[in-house]
Short mmCIF file of all heavy atoms in Angstrom, two decimals:
data_model
loop_
_atom_site.label_atom_id
_atom_site.label_comp_id
_atom_site.label_asym_id
_atom_site.label_seq_id
_atom_site.Cartn_x
_atom_site.Cartn_y
_atom_site.Cartn_z
N VAL L 1 2.20 -6.21 1.61
CA VAL L 1 3.54 -6.53 2.21
C VAL L 1 4.76 -5.98 1.37
O VAL L 1 5.67 -5.48 2.00
CB VAL L 1 3.65 -8.07 2.15
CG1 VAL L 1 5.05 -8.53 2.54
CG2 VAL L 1 2.61 -8.70 3.10
N LEU L 2 4.51 -5.92 0.16
CA LEU L 2 5.53 -5.26 -0.78
C LEU L 2 5.73 -3.80 -0.38
O LEU L 2 6.86 -3.25 -0.22
CB LEU L 2 5.16 -5.37 -2.20
CG LEU L 2 6.14 -4.66 -3.16
CD1 LEU L 2 7.52 -5.24 -3.02
CD2 LEU L 2 5.61 -4.80 -4.63
N LEU L 3 4.64 -3.03 -0.18
CA LEU L 3 4.71 -1.67 0.19
C LEU L 3 5.37 -1.42 1.50
O LEU L 3 6.08 -0.51 1.67
CB LEU L 3 3.28 -1.08 0.16
CG LEU L 3 2.56 -0.93 -1.22
CD1 LEU L 3 1.14 -0.25 -1.04
CD2 LEU L 3 3.34 -0.12 -2.25
N VAL L 4 4.97 -2.26 2.45
CA VAL L 4 5.61 -2.13 3.81
C VAL L 4 7.10 -2.39 3.59
O VAL L 4 7.97 -1.69 4.27
CB VAL L 4 4.93 -3.16 4.76
CG1 VAL L 4 5.80 -3.17 6.08
CG2 VAL L 4 3.51 -2.80 5.05
N THR L 5 7.49 -3.37 2.94
CA THR L 5 8.89 -3.76 2.75
C THR L 5 9.62 -2.62 2.03
O THR L 5 10.78 -2.33 2.35
CB THR L 5 9.09 -5.04 1.90
OG1 THR L 5 8.20 -6.06 2.53
CG2 THR L 5 10.45 -5.48 1.74
N LEU L 6 9.08 -2.01 1.04
CA LEU L 6 9.70 -0.93 0.35
C LEU L 6 9.84 0.36 1.08
O LEU L 6 10.70 1.19 0.91
CB LEU L 6 8.96 -0.50 -0.97
CG LEU L 6 8.89 -1.67 -2.00
CD1 LEU L 6 8.09 -1.27 -3.24
CD2 LEU L 6 10.34 -1.99 -2.61
N GLY L 7 9.01 0.60 2.04
CA GLY L 7 9.06 1.72 2.97
C GLY L 7 8.15 2.89 2.53
O GLY L 7 7.66 2.87 1.40
N PRO L 8 7.84 3.82 3.36
CA PRO L 8 6.76 4.88 3.04
C PRO L 8 7.08 5.58 1.86
O PRO L 8 6.10 6.00 1.06
CB PRO L 8 6.92 5.77 4.37
CG PRO L 8 7.55 4.92 5.33
CD PRO L 8 8.46 3.98 4.69
N GLU L 9 8.30 6.15 1.60
CA GLU L 9 8.55 7.01 0.50
C GLU L 9 8.31 6.25 -0.90
O GLU L 9 7.58 6.87 -1.76
CB GLU L 9 9.98 7.51 0.48
CG GLU L 9 10.21 8.55 -0.41
CD GLU L 9 11.69 9.24 -0.31
OE1 GLU L 9 12.23 9.07 0.89
OE2 GLU L 9 12.16 9.72 -1.29
N LYS L 10 8.88 5.12 -1.00
CA LYS L 10 8.70 4.38 -2.36
C LYS L 10 7.32 4.00 -2.41
O LYS L 10 6.71 3.88 -3.55
CB LYS L 10 9.61 3.30 -2.38
CG LYS L 10 11.16 3.62 -2.46
CD LYS L 10 12.05 2.49 -2.59
CE LYS L 10 13.52 2.93 -2.76
NZ LYS L 10 14.47 1.71 -2.76
N ALA L 11 6.59 3.54 -1.32
CA ALA L 11 5.22 3.13 -1.33
C ALA L 11 4.37 4.20 -1.84
O ALA L 11 3.47 3.93 -2.63
CB ALA L 11 4.89 2.59 -0.02
N ALA L 12 4.58 5.41 -1.32
CA ALA L 12 3.86 6.57 -1.70
C ALA L 12 3.96 6.86 -3.21
O ALA L 12 2.97 7.18 -3.90
CB ALA L 12 4.29 7.84 -0.93
N GLY L 13 5.10 6.67 -3.76
CA GLY L 13 5.36 6.81 -5.20
C GLY L 13 4.56 5.88 -5.98
O GLY L 13 4.12 6.19 -7.09
N ILE L 14 4.43 4.57 -5.56
CA ILE L 14 3.73 3.63 -6.26
C ILE L 14 2.16 3.91 -6.19
O ILE L 14 1.43 3.68 -7.27
CB ILE L 14 3.97 2.18 -5.61
CG1 ILE L 14 5.47 1.81 -6.01
CG2 ILE L 14 3.06 1.14 -6.24
CD1 ILE L 14 5.90 0.52 -5.23
N LEU L 15 1.72 4.36 -5.04
CA LEU L 15 0.31 4.63 -4.95
C LEU L 15 -0.23 5.67 -5.80
O LEU L 15 -1.42 5.72 -6.23
CB LEU L 15 -0.06 4.99 -3.40
CG LEU L 15 0.04 3.87 -2.36
CD1 LEU L 15 -0.15 4.35 -0.98
CD2 LEU L 15 -1.01 2.80 -2.71
N LYS L 16 0.65 6.62 -6.15
CA LYS L 16 0.25 7.66 -7.02
C LYS L 16 -0.17 7.25 -8.47
O LYS L 16 -1.03 7.93 -9.14
CB LYS L 16 1.46 8.62 -7.33
CG LYS L 16 1.81 9.53 -6.03
CD LYS L 16 2.99 10.43 -6.38
CE LYS L 16 3.38 11.18 -5.12
NZ LYS L 16 4.60 12.08 -5.39
N HIS L 17 0.20 6.06 -8.81
CA HIS L 17 -0.11 5.53 -10.08
C HIS L 17 -1.27 4.49 -10.08
O HIS L 17 -1.58 3.89 -11.03
CB HIS L 17 1.15 4.76 -10.73
CG HIS L 17 2.29 5.67 -10.91
ND1 HIS L 17 2.43 6.54 -11.98
CD2 HIS L 17 3.41 5.78 -10.17
CE1 HIS L 17 3.43 7.19 -11.88
NE2 HIS L 17 4.18 6.81 -10.84
N MET L 18 -1.90 4.42 -8.92
CA MET L 18 -3.07 3.49 -8.70
C MET L 18 -4.37 4.20 -8.74
O MET L 18 -4.48 5.38 -8.47
CB MET L 18 -2.83 2.72 -7.46
CG MET L 18 -1.69 1.67 -7.49
SD MET L 18 -1.63 0.67 -6.02
CE MET L 18 -0.31 -0.40 -6.36
N SER L 19 -5.44 3.43 -8.97
CA SER L 19 -6.80 3.98 -9.00
C SER L 19 -7.28 4.12 -7.56
O SER L 19 -6.63 3.49 -6.61
CB SER L 19 -7.72 3.11 -9.82
OG SER L 19 -7.87 1.87 -9.09
N ASP L 20 -8.37 4.91 -7.33
CA ASP L 20 -8.85 5.10 -5.99
C ASP L 20 -9.35 3.71 -5.35
O ASP L 20 -9.18 3.41 -4.23
CB ASP L 20 -10.11 6.05 -6.05
CG ASP L 20 -9.63 7.46 -6.41
OD1 ASP L 20 -8.40 7.71 -6.19
OD2 ASP L 20 -10.46 8.25 -6.75
N GLU L 21 -9.95 2.97 -6.25
CA GLU L 21 -10.37 1.61 -5.77
C GLU L 21 -9.23 0.72 -5.29
O GLU L 21 -9.36 -0.02 -4.31
CB GLU L 21 -11.09 0.82 -6.94
CG GLU L 21 -11.70 -0.45 -6.39
CD GLU L 21 -12.44 -1.15 -7.61
OE1 GLU L 21 -12.58 -0.51 -8.66
OE2 GLU L 21 -12.99 -2.30 -7.45
N GLU L 22 -8.16 0.71 -6.08
CA GLU L 22 -6.94 -0.04 -5.66
C GLU L 22 -6.30 0.41 -4.43
O GLU L 22 -5.93 -0.33 -3.59
CB GLU L 22 -5.90 0.00 -6.82
CG GLU L 22 -6.38 -0.84 -8.08
CD GLU L 22 -5.48 -0.59 -9.19
OE1 GLU L 22 -4.81 0.53 -9.30
OE2 GLU L 22 -5.34 -1.43 -10.22
N ILE L 23 -6.24 1.84 -4.32
CA ILE L 23 -5.75 2.40 -3.08
C ILE L 23 -6.56 2.02 -1.87
O ILE L 23 -6.06 1.64 -0.79
CB ILE L 23 -5.64 3.89 -3.20
CG1 ILE L 23 -4.50 4.27 -4.30
CG2 ILE L 23 -5.24 4.59 -1.95
CD1 ILE L 23 -4.50 5.72 -4.63
N GLU L 24 -7.90 2.01 -2.01
CA GLU L 24 -8.74 1.65 -0.93
C GLU L 24 -8.60 0.18 -0.52
O GLU L 24 -8.41 -0.05 0.79
CB GLU L 24 -10.19 1.88 -1.39
CG GLU L 24 -11.20 1.62 -0.29
CD GLU L 24 -12.65 1.81 -0.72
OE1 GLU L 24 -12.82 2.49 -1.81
OE2 GLU L 24 -13.58 1.35 0.00
N LYS L 25 -8.40 -0.77 -1.35
CA LYS L 25 -8.08 -2.11 -1.06
C LYS L 25 -6.85 -2.21 -0.39
O LYS L 25 -6.72 -3.06 0.64
CB LYS L 25 -8.19 -2.89 -2.33
CG LYS L 25 -9.58 -3.12 -2.99
CD LYS L 25 -9.47 -4.10 -4.15
CE LYS L 25 -10.90 -4.22 -4.79
NZ LYS L 25 -10.79 -5.18 -6.01
N LEU L 26 -5.83 -1.56 -0.88
CA LEU L 26 -4.55 -1.77 -0.22
C LEU L 26 -4.45 -1.06 1.21
O LEU L 26 -3.79 -1.61 2.06
CB LEU L 26 -3.43 -1.06 -1.16
CG LEU L 26 -2.95 -1.91 -2.25
CD1 LEU L 26 -1.99 -1.00 -3.16
CD2 LEU L 26 -2.08 -3.05 -1.71
N THR L 27 -5.17 0.11 1.37
CA THR L 27 -5.28 0.65 2.65
C THR L 27 -5.86 -0.27 3.65
O THR L 27 -5.39 -0.34 4.84
CB THR L 27 -6.00 1.91 2.56
OG1 THR L 27 -5.49 2.77 1.52
CG2 THR L 27 -6.14 2.62 3.91
N LEU L 28 -6.90 -0.97 3.31
CA LEU L 28 -7.50 -1.94 4.22
C LEU L 28 -6.56 -3.02 4.59
O LEU L 28 -6.53 -3.51 5.79
CB LEU L 28 -8.77 -2.59 3.55
CG LEU L 28 -9.94 -1.66 3.34
CD1 LEU L 28 -11.03 -2.34 2.58
CD2 LEU L 28 -10.55 -1.16 4.69
N GLU L 29 -5.76 -3.59 3.57
CA GLU L 29 -4.84 -4.59 3.93
C GLU L 29 -3.69 -4.04 4.80
O GLU L 29 -3.20 -4.83 5.72
CB GLU L 29 -4.19 -5.09 2.62
CG GLU L 29 -5.16 -6.07 1.80
CD GLU L 29 -5.57 -7.19 2.55
OE1 GLU L 29 -4.80 -7.74 3.40
OE2 GLU L 29 -6.66 -7.80 2.31
N LEU L 30 -3.30 -2.73 4.47
CA LEU L 30 -2.22 -2.26 5.33
C LEU L 30 -2.57 -2.02 6.71
O LEU L 30 -1.87 -2.21 7.65
CB LEU L 30 -1.76 -0.86 4.67
CG LEU L 30 -0.92 -0.91 3.33
CD1 LEU L 30 -0.84 0.37 2.72
CD2 LEU L 30 0.46 -1.44 3.65
N ALA L 31 -3.84 -1.67 6.94
CA ALA L 31 -4.43 -1.45 8.26
C ALA L 31 -4.42 -2.79 9.12
O ALA L 31 -4.34 -2.76 10.29
CB ALA L 31 -5.79 -0.88 8.19
N LYS L 32 -4.50 -3.92 8.40
CA LYS L 32 -4.59 -5.25 9.12
C LYS L 32 -3.12 -5.69 9.54
O LYS L 32 -2.95 -6.60 10.35
CB LYS L 32 -5.14 -6.26 8.12
CG LYS L 32 -6.66 -6.07 7.74
CD LYS L 32 -7.06 -7.14 6.75
CE LYS L 32 -8.47 -6.78 6.31
NZ LYS L 32 -8.87 -7.74 5.25
N ILE L 33 -2.13 -5.20 8.84
CA ILE L 33 -0.76 -5.60 9.15
C ILE L 33 -0.07 -5.04 10.28
O ILE L 33 -0.20 -3.86 10.54
CB ILE L 33 0.14 -5.33 7.84
CG1 ILE L 33 -0.35 -5.99 6.60
CG2 ILE L 33 1.65 -5.62 8.21
CD1 ILE L 33 0.50 -5.72 5.31
N ASP L 34 0.28 -5.96 11.22
CA ASP L 34 0.92 -5.48 12.47
C ASP L 34 2.37 -5.48 12.26
O ASP L 34 3.09 -4.51 12.23
CB ASP L 34 0.45 -6.39 13.61
CG ASP L 34 1.11 -5.90 14.91
OD1 ASP L 34 1.56 -4.81 14.93
OD2 ASP L 34 1.17 -6.75 15.83
N LYS L 35 2.92 -6.68 12.02
CA LYS L 35 4.37 -6.93 11.74
C LYS L 35 4.53 -7.95 10.73
O LYS L 35 3.87 -9.02 10.62
CB LYS L 35 5.06 -7.42 13.10
CG LYS L 35 6.45 -7.64 12.89
CD LYS L 35 7.19 -8.04 14.24
CE LYS L 35 8.66 -8.23 14.03
NZ LYS L 35 9.31 -8.67 15.30
N VAL L 36 5.39 -7.68 9.71
CA VAL L 36 5.60 -8.55 8.60
C VAL L 36 6.86 -9.46 8.83
O VAL L 36 8.03 -8.90 9.03
CB VAL L 36 5.82 -7.80 7.23
CG1 VAL L 36 6.05 -8.80 6.12
CG2 VAL L 36 4.63 -6.86 7.03
#
């Protein structure tokens, strides 16, 4: 939800500092989100 709220550009900057496992978990959650 935080990544969606921050927007694509800032979200991408945050993901760069995460591990592959963390990115995978977040990607699954992002895919479930329709509207926040």
Side-chain angles (χ1 to χ4, degrees):
V1 170
L2 175 63
L3 293 181
V4 170
T5 306
L6 292 175
E9 188 174 338
K10 292 180 180 178
I14 293 174
L15 288 174
K16 289 179 182 178
H17 299 282
M18 292 185 171
S19 66
D20 292 342
E21 184 180 353
E22 291 170 332
I23 292 174
E24 183 179 342
K25 289 181 180 179
L26 276 175
T27 301
L28 291 174
E29 288 296 332
L30 287 167
K32 297 176 186 178
I33 294 177
D34 182 19
K35 183 179 180 181
V36 182

